Amino acid sequence: QFLTNLGKNSILDVKLGDQIAKEMTVMFADIRSFTDLSEKMTPEENFNFINSYLGRMSPIIQSNHGYIDKFMGDGIMALFDGFPDHAINAAIQMQKHIVVYNLHRHKQGYEPINIGIGMHTGRLMLGAIGGIERMEGTVISDSVNLGSRIEGLTKIYGIKIAISEKTFLTLNNPNNFHFRFLDRVQVKGKKQAISIYEVFDGDTESVFELKLNTISNYETGIDFY
């Protein structure tokens, strides 16, 4: 996918400085309290756990027309071309699969895990960076930083999936999902406040129903606030 976006046929055709500007949706997914989990495991158990988790999440991203830009320990950074609907579908499926994964972990005597997912849609530079001995494909943009900050907000608000207003407004079929306006926040590195929305389709069935049934009261409360 990286080569396709750069308009290259082979990795041998890529050289330092090759780049292209595109509008894409960047997704960040992170395991909650990973440091606490990792301290209870041996190095071998840590690697087995990470590979087991990433091996389950990666196919979901790929099946929703996204591709993984990089793994960051327990974190995933993924890119989605076109409408952000694919990215939200992937996030919902990832959250639902965590429930299945936790059943497997429970049978093995391991603690359950939770993940937070944040995303933003915007213009970014896709290209090759590095030196003569080593280079890699990456994306550089304020949109990438913002996507990472939004993922961090899922910890503060205690939610599973958060998206920016730009992602919300760029959706092709917003009626396919359920949203709640969360807040206007000024994230680190930004001078202006941005609006953040929660997507709660990835919640457990009971929590989803509660949020759906109380949405009018919730929105009235937000309006007063």
Side-chain angles (χ1 to χ4, degrees):
Q1 294 99 325
F2 176 76
L3 289 171
T4 300
N5 278 319
L6 277 184
K8 304 292 183 181
N9 295 318
S10 165
I11 189 69
L12 299 175
D13 297 331
V14 178
K15 59 184 183 294
L16 286 175
D18 284 345
Q19 46 77 29
I20 188 171
K22 292 199 74 173
E23 179 152 307
M24 303 180 82
T25 298
V26 58
M27 170 203 282
F28 284 87
D30 197 51
I31 298 175
R32 292 286 162 265
S33 305
F34 176 69
T35 303
D36 295 338
L37 277 172
S38 64
E39 287 176 348
K40 300 172 186 175
M41 296 185 284
T42 65
E44 182 181 7
E45 287 172 335
N46 262 296
F47 273 92
N48 288 339
F49 163 59
I50 287 293
N51 285 326
S52 174
Y53 163 72
L54 295 178
R56 291 167 181 268
M57 298 296 108
S58 299
I60 296 174
I61 291 169
Q62 291 163 356
S63 66
N64 284 281
H65 310 286
Y67 70 95
I68 294 167
D69 180 73
K70 59 174 63 73
F71 296 122
M72 302 163 290
D74 63 305
I76 299 172
M77 175 181 165
L79 299 171
F80 295 80
D81 209 350
F83 292 110
D85 303 55
H86 297 306
I88 293 183
N89 273 323
I92 292 167
Q93 290 171 28
M94 288 165 71
Q95 292 290 2
K96 288 183 179 296
H97 192 75
I98 286 296
V99 176
V100 178
Y101 183 40
N102 279 335
L103 290 174
H104 169 74
R105 287 181 58 80
H106 178 71
K107 289 177 183 177
Q108 302 296 320
Y110 298 128
E111 293 181 35
I113 64 167
N114 292 294
I115 64 171
I117 301 175
M119 65 187 76
H120 174 62
T121 304
R123 200 152 183 82
L124 47 82
M125 296 295 294
L126 185 87
I129 62 169
I132 296 173
E133 297 298 323
R134 172 184 166 82
M135 66 176 177
E136 65 179 39
T138 191
V139 287
I140 300 173
S141 171
D142 179 56
S143 296
V144 176
N145 297 329
L146 188 51
S148 177
R149 301 296 184 196
I150 291 172
E151 183 279 315
L153 292 174
T154 62
K155 304 173 190 176
I156 296 172
Y157 291 96
I159 61 172
K160 295 183 180 294
I161 304 170
I163 66 172
S164 69
E165 183 175 40
K166 178 68 181 295
T167 298
F168 176 74
L169 294 175
T170 315
L171 283 166
N172 189 36
N173 293 298
N175 292 331
N176 290 343
F177 310 106
H178 296 84
F179 306 94
R180 296 201 305 181
F181 173 80
L182 272 183
D183 209 347
R184 284 188 60 77
V185 296
Q186 185 177 348
V187 298
K188 186 177 179 181
K190 297 288 288 184
K191 292 182 179 179
Q192 291 185 329
I194 60 169
S195 294
I196 305 295
Y197 292 81
E198 174 192 10
V199 182
F200 58 92
D201 299 83
D203 285 6
T204 60
E205 189 174 342
S206 58
V207 174
F208 173 83
E209 290 295 334
L210 283 169
K211 287 182 179 179
L212 192 63
N213 292 335
T214 58
I215 192 75
S216 59
N217 286 345
Y218 173 85
E219 289 174 347
T220 300
I222 288 290
D223 287 341
F224 279 121
Y225 175 71

